[in-house]
Amino acid sequence: MNVREFKNKIYSELASITKALANPHRLEIIELLAQGPSSVEYIVDNTNLTVANASQHLQTLKSARLVRSERRGKYSYYSLASPKVFEVWETMRELGFSQNAEIGKLMKEFRESRHNLESMTSSQLLERMQQGKALLLDVRPREEYESGHIASAISIPSDELFEKLKELPKDKEIVAYCRGPLCAMAYDAVELLNKHGFKAVRLETGFPEWEVKGLPVEQ
Amino acid sequence: MNVREFKNKIYSELASITKALANPHRLEIIELLAQGPSSVEYIVDNTNLTVANASQHLQTLKSARLVRSERRGKYSYYSLASPKVFEVWETMRELGFSQNAEIGKLMKEFRESRHNLESMTSSQLLERMQQGKALLLDVRPREEYESGHIASAISIPSDELFEKLKELPKDKEIVAYCRGPLCAMAYDAVELLNKHGFKAVRLETGFPEWEVKGLPVEQ
DNA sequence: GTAATGATCAATTAATCTATTGAATGTTAG
DNA sequence: CTAACATTCAATAGATTAATTGATCATTAC
């Protein structure tokens, strides 16, 4: 095979995969699916999409082999075709964070609107957990917790947190995490907890970032 | 700031970076720039693009902050804005290799058309080099060698190799490398060397992959 | 200064992508 | 069997992207 012809074909194939990623809604879907398999309905509830539009974007991702689907009864469950898909998204996101001034500005504004700048790294958390000094709190929706969470984390979904405050200890440090750096749930949880006299901080990383690093998870 | 609004903005920004990558020619340009800074003319000579079209794609990459340019005299030299850009491309390429059957088929056909299946990994090379058993040969164009190469490699560009065969030793193993897994130059060099009685193998990895791993390089 | 060279710009057309709409399919509950 | 529900499909119009062409700009060589 001619070299030029080979290159044209291979770069086209690779670009077609990249194109499947090159849409804001599809990126958001990828990040949601990194939390675990989801039905179309669940995706619609967690994004700003109509059912038909979400389904269409899912078809696009599927034909690029970035996601797969499995029908169970009335529902189609979509999931990432491979952890590598999340890795690509993570690498891309990091590139955006480091190169794009507008993204930096948006993140800063967002953090500040949450009055909450303190956070903890994965390795700090591992250390604290070993010493039994911290309580790890998963504030994502129950479904996501159930399809995988950081080892020893307990689940109190964001929207149930207020009514369950009394179940939490005041003497232990509470570390809250959610879907990742673009997710607001842990920010809001920490804000609520601090307001009620708990000692809470946000974990810098979300579940998929933790999992892809090979750190301990449970199901 | 409203969470939905924040997400819409941030995913749009991230998608705009991804879009800048989502084109076969721009991927090829990224891979070329990973070898070192290049003028527009050099890019045109090494791809299948017209000057105006290459320049246009470079503007696209530039406004997404994936590349930068620097004018020196008549020439504009473009380079990757950060090693992270190459990392994103590498991660994406690996995803393609693992997920896309068509890419697997193309690679296999290509390797077979080169009658050359033997190759050496980076760690095997490091070991051989330490024992002084191997000669490392950079077969990329001189410019690329000069803007950075694997430590202790010598330069014989692909198109000068035939006339310089007599300068090479017959008793030592020759390890040839080029731009990376999609580049034909090392395949062709190994084929030529073997045909003339040398003991040659291809390094699996190209210069940018070696460099990004933090392995020893020279300039 | 003028020509040559390297690169960019602007305008155009064709191709592709996206959201919307409404209809169609498949599955379950009653 | 029928209604309700979850999802997909198909058609459309508007927006975006890409290659081409020819013109323009910037720098150097003569």
Side-chain angles (χ1 to χ4, degrees):
Chain A
M1 184 173 9
N2 171 293
V3 177
R4 188 70 256 161
E5 199 187 320
F6 165 72
K7 288 199 176 183
N8 288 347
K9 282 184 188 164
I10 209 122
Y11 285 111
S12 291
E13 286 294 330
L14 288 163
S16 76
I17 296 173
T18 316
K19 271 184 195 140
L21 285 172
N23 174 282
H25 302 303
R26 291 198 291 269
L27 290 179
E28 193 171 0
I29 291 173
I30 295 278
E31 199 164 44
L32 187 58
L33 294 182
Q35 314 298 323
S38 306
S39 65
V40 178
E41 193 186 27
Y42 190 79
I43 293 166
V44 167
D45 291 344
N46 282 276
T47 58
N48 222 18
L49 299 168
T50 62
V51 174
N53 198 8
S55 177
Q56 214 169 306
H57 282 302
L58 285 163
Q59 299 314 310
T60 304
L61 290 169
K62 194 178 174 182
S63 55
R65 314 231 170 214
L66 297 173
V67 309
R68 353 169 195 274
S69 70
E70 187 197 349
R71 186 112 194 174
R72 286 210 296 272
K74 289 198 291 186
Y75 301 86
S76 279
Y77 288 90
Y78 282 85
S79 48
L80 296 190
S82 140
K84 275 181 194 286
V85 177
F86 177 74
E87 283 175 53
V88 169
W89 155 242
E90 194 184 16
T91 315
M92 190 98 68
R93 195 183 60 195
E94 294 314 311
L95 177 66
F97 279 32
S98 71
Q99 295 300 111
N100 182 308
E102 182 59 26
I103 290 175
K105 203 178 128 234
L106 282 165
M107 290 301 291
K108 187 163 172 281
E109 268 175 54
F110 183 69
R111 268 197 309 275
E112 283 170 2
S113 77
R114 259 59 198 170
H115 316 102
N116 165 21
L117 297 157
E118 211 187 340
S119 68
M120 184 179 273
T121 65
S122 304
S123 45
Q124 287 171 327
L125 174 65
L126 284 165
E127 200 180 301
R128 299 285 180 98
M129 292 298 286
Q130 250 170 353
Q131 301 168 339
K133 284 184 186 162
L135 173 70
L136 186 56
L137 187 60
D138 186 322
V139 297
R140 296 175 302 158
R142 190 89 59 203
E143 299 90 314
E144 297 175 26
Y145 175 84
E146 277 168 3
S147 75
H149 53 264
I150 297 182
S152 85
I154 64 162
S155 168
I156 305 184
S158 202
D159 53 9
E160 301 173 14
L161 186 56
F162 181 73
E163 59 201 63
K164 293 195 176 156
L165 284 177
K166 55 189 171 305
E167 296 172 18
L168 292 170
K170 289 245 175 185
D171 56 329
K172 248 185 173 178
E173 184 170 31
I174 300 174
V175 183
Y177 74 89
C178 56
R179 291 171 178 160
L182 305 182
C183 173
M185 294 184 287
Y187 280 106
D188 292 343
V190 169
E191 202 172 353
L192 181 71
L193 288 167
N194 285 337
K195 214 171 80 184
H196 288 82
F198 294 91
K199 207 182 146 205
V201 297
R202 188 183 145 269
L203 184 65
E204 239 175 33
T205 194
F207 172 70
E209 291 81 9
W210 179 279
E211 186 183 31
V212 88
K213 270 195 204 164
L215 295 173
V217 300
E218 287 168 351
Q219 219 164 1
Chain B
M1 184 170 14
N2 171 294
V3 177
R4 187 70 257 160
E5 201 186 318
F6 165 73
K7 288 198 176 184
N8 287 347
K9 283 185 189 164
I10 208 120
Y11 285 111
S12 291
E13 286 294 329
L14 287 163
S16 75
I17 297 173
T18 316
K19 271 184 194 142
L21 284 171
N23 172 282
H25 302 303
R26 291 199 290 269
L27 290 179
E28 193 171 0
I29 290 173
I30 296 278
E31 199 163 44
L32 188 56
L33 294 182
Q35 314 299 323
S38 305
S39 64
V40 178
E41 192 186 28
Y42 190 79
I43 292 166
V44 166
D45 290 345
N46 281 276
T47 57
N48 222 19
L49 299 168
T50 62
V51 175
N53 199 8
S55 177
Q56 215 169 300
H57 283 303
L58 285 163
Q59 300 314 310
T60 304
L61 290 169
K62 194 178 173 183
S63 55
R65 315 233 170 212
L66 296 173
V67 309
R68 354 168 194 273
S69 70
E70 186 197 349
R71 186 113 194 175
R72 287 211 294 274
K74 289 198 292 184
Y75 301 86
S76 279
Y77 289 90
Y78 282 85
S79 49
L80 296 190
S82 142
K84 276 182 193 285
V85 177
F86 178 73
E87 283 175 52
V88 169
W89 156 242
E90 193 185 17
T91 316
M92 189 98 69
R93 193 182 63 195
E94 293 314 311
L95 177 66
F97 279 33
S98 71
Q99 295 300 109
N100 181 308
E102 182 59 26
I103 291 175
K105 204 178 128 234
L106 280 165
M107 290 301 291
K108 186 162 173 283
E109 267 175 53
F110 183 69
R111 267 197 309 275
E112 284 169 2
S113 78
R114 259 59 198 170
H115 315 102
N116 164 20
L117 298 157
E118 211 186 339
S119 67
M120 185 179 273
T121 64
S122 304
S123 46
Q124 287 171 328
L125 174 65
L126 284 166
E127 200 181 302
R128 299 285 179 98
M129 291 298 285
Q130 249 170 354
Q131 301 168 339
K133 283 185 187 162
L135 174 71
L136 185 56
L137 187 60
D138 186 322
V139 296
R140 295 175 302 158
R142 189 92 55 202
E143 299 91 315
E144 297 176 25
Y145 174 83
E146 277 168 4
S147 74
H149 53 264
I150 297 182
S152 84
I154 65 163
S155 167
I156 304 183
S158 201
D159 53 9
E160 301 173 13
L161 186 56
F162 181 72
E163 57 201 64
K164 294 196 174 158
L165 283 177
K166 54 190 171 302
E167 296 173 16
L168 292 170
K170 290 245 174 185
D171 56 329
K172 246 186 174 177
E173 184 169 34
I174 299 174
V175 183
Y177 75 89
C178 56
R179 291 171 179 159
L182 305 183
C183 174
M185 294 184 287
Y187 280 107
D188 292 343
V190 169
E191 202 171 353
L192 180 71
L193 288 167
N194 284 337
K195 215 171 79 184
H196 287 83
F198 294 91
K199 207 182 146 204
V201 298
R202 189 183 145 269
L203 184 64
E204 242 176 31
T205 194
F207 172 69
E209 290 82 8
W210 179 280
E211 186 183 31
V212 89
K213 269 194 204 165
L215 296 173
V217 300
E218 286 168 354
Q219 218 162 3

